[in-house]
Amino acid sequence: MTEQQLLGPQEIRELAATLGIRPTKTLGQNFVIDPNTIRRIVAAANIDPNETVLEVGPGLGSLTLGILDAAARMVAVEIDPPLAEQLPHTVAKFRPGSEDRIDVVLNDAMQVTELPVTPTALVANLPYNVAVPVLIHLFSQFDSIAHALVMVQDEVADRLAAKPGSKIYGVPSVKANWFCEVSKAGVIGTNVFWPAPKIKSGLVAFTRRPDPLSDVPRQLVFEIVDAAFAQRRKTLRAALGPWTGSTARAGKILEAAGIDPSLRGEKLDIHDFVKIAEAYRDHFAEPDSGEVQPFDAVRGE
Ligand code: SAM
């Protein structure tokens, strides 16, 4: 099959001029102007030809055309009205006949709860300032997303893929791990974007866990993760004190979970956080309220 045209600097400039677009920092608008980078992202995304791909922030359509060439269908969620409006015209011009393989949704990716199709993959050059909350929202909202490949700030890519014990391991790493196995998939320089950002970008690959880690509510696990890293220099016993009501109670929950209360949160993997949530649910929470039962009442002390 002959390779189809992707958008380069000239096409991006022309599109932006036609629309009178000036990229805004607030919306994280750095458009890819390099076809090789698009090929790299699409190759790293491992898209099966039968798949339906969700793209967040299609912008002027650089990545969109690459995804359309690899997937059966796609849905693109864009927050900026002129960009969302233009996208079907760009597809019609550069991929005539493919217009009915893409739905464009004008919405904030952090708010979207329904899509016109069921995505099996997420592929995106994410708006950098909201990359992590967008990812968490989409993985929790759409169970059908079995894998993802995203471009984010390189530092955020490293954080997402970090392992317990490293300095950069933190809330994004653990939360992403609740849903997926995560790995870094490359580094991208600054000059493939217009406008060029100051810092490098990184690619991150996600593979959804075949089964949920636990039937404990995700929200409970995430509360514990937030509490543990809100004071990451403290021991877990101290850091979880405000969440449980006292350090003594935090210590008992950690012991019930089989986790050493003198460890710091940065040593724990997602399985450990799940154990804490399960211990809390099984021994310390009111059956229906989700509240911590006063510890004295639980132990009769
Ligand atoms: N995919 C294009 C590319 O690679 O050239 C553009 C990527 S640019 C880094 C991020 C895009 O996300 C912009 O088009 C921006 O308008 C859009 N965006 C920003 N915040 C968004 C949000 N909350 N929901 C959906 N799209 C958003």
Side-chain angles (χ1 to χ4, degrees):
M1 198 176 100
T2 48
E3 190 171 274
Q4 307 230 52
Q5 186 190 356
L6 293 164
L7 305 180
Q10 193 188 331
E11 291 78 22
I12 293 289
R13 236 191 333 267
E14 281 171 11
L15 267 169
T18 313
L19 294 174
I21 296 275
R22 294 182 54 205
T24 75
K25 268 207 168 130
T26 342
L27 291 178
Q29 291 177 337
N30 297 94
F31 302 112
V32 176
I33 54 170
D34 174 45
N36 279 331
T37 302
I38 297 302
R39 286 184 201 106
R40 218 180 128 187
I41 297 173
V42 172
N46 271 322
I47 302 167
D48 185 275
N50 298 320
E51 283 200 278
T52 298
V53 174
L54 165 61
E55 183 188 10
V56 168
L60 290 167
S62 311
L63 183 54
T64 315
L65 298 184
I67 297 171
L68 266 179
D69 295 341
R73 282 202 65 81
M74 65 179 294
V75 53
V77 178
E78 171 60 59
I79 200 171
D80 198 0
L83 294 179
E85 206 172 295
Q86 172 61 32
L87 193 61
H89 303 294
T90 303
V91 170
K93 178 171 174 194
F94 290 93
R95 294 295 182 277
S98 285
E99 299 91 323
D100 60 352
R101 293 196 294 122
I102 177 167
D103 289 285
V104 181
V105 173
L106 173 64
N107 204 344
D108 178 343
M110 281 187 291
Q111 304 293 332
V112 70
T113 52
E114 272 181 315
L115 290 168
V117 289
T118 304
T120 55
L122 165 69
V123 181
N125 171 15
L126 288 175
Y128 288 178
N129 40 355
V130 291
V132 173
V134 164
L135 275 170
I136 302 294
H137 173 73
L138 294 174
F139 279 129
S140 61
Q141 196 67 41
F142 302 104
D143 289 345
S144 59
I145 297 175
H147 64 113
L149 190 287
V150 300
M151 179 149 67
V152 293
Q153 275 177 11
D154 195 39
E155 186 199 329
V156 176
D158 287 336
R159 279 180 200 284
L160 282 164
K163 302 288 174 245
S166 77
K167 266 197 185 137
I168 55 170
Y169 180 71
V171 173
S173 339
V174 192
K175 289 187 178 174
N177 262 283
W178 164 263
F179 302 102
C180 298
E181 297 284 356
V182 187
S183 60
K184 182 105 182 260
V187 178
I188 306 277
T190 56
N191 58 358
V192 302
F193 297 95
W194 173 71
K198 289 202 176 68
I199 35 188
K200 284 183 291 187
S201 300
L203 302 181
V204 194
F206 301 82
T207 306
R208 172 87 71 169
R209 298 185 182 284
D211 299 304
L213 282 178
S214 168
D215 60 354
V216 76
R218 174 178 61 85
Q219 215 39 54
L220 178 60
V221 179
F222 281 17
E223 269 175 34
I224 299 168
V225 173
D226 287 333
F229 286 99
Q231 306 182 75
R232 64 181 293 151
R233 313 294 308 160
K234 292 198 174 170
T235 64
L236 281 166
R237 185 197 288 110
L240 298 187
W243 169 69
T244 61
S246 77
T247 51
R249 195 174 297 145
K252 294 289 180 191
I253 296 171
L254 287 160
E255 274 162 24
I259 306 285
D260 178 354
S262 67
L263 288 176
R264 289 179 182 162
E266 62 200 24
K267 294 281 183 217
L268 269 51
D269 66 14
I270 182 63
H271 304 280
D272 297 324
F273 282 106
V274 165
K275 279 186 210 153
I276 302 171
E278 287 174 345
Y280 167 83
R281 176 198 59 188
D282 296 344
H283 306 297
F284 299 92
E286 291 274 11
D288 292 316
S289 70
E291 296 292 315
V292 178
Q293 206 174 337
F295 187 68
D296 293 355
V298 177
R299 290 288 166 105
E301 288 166 356

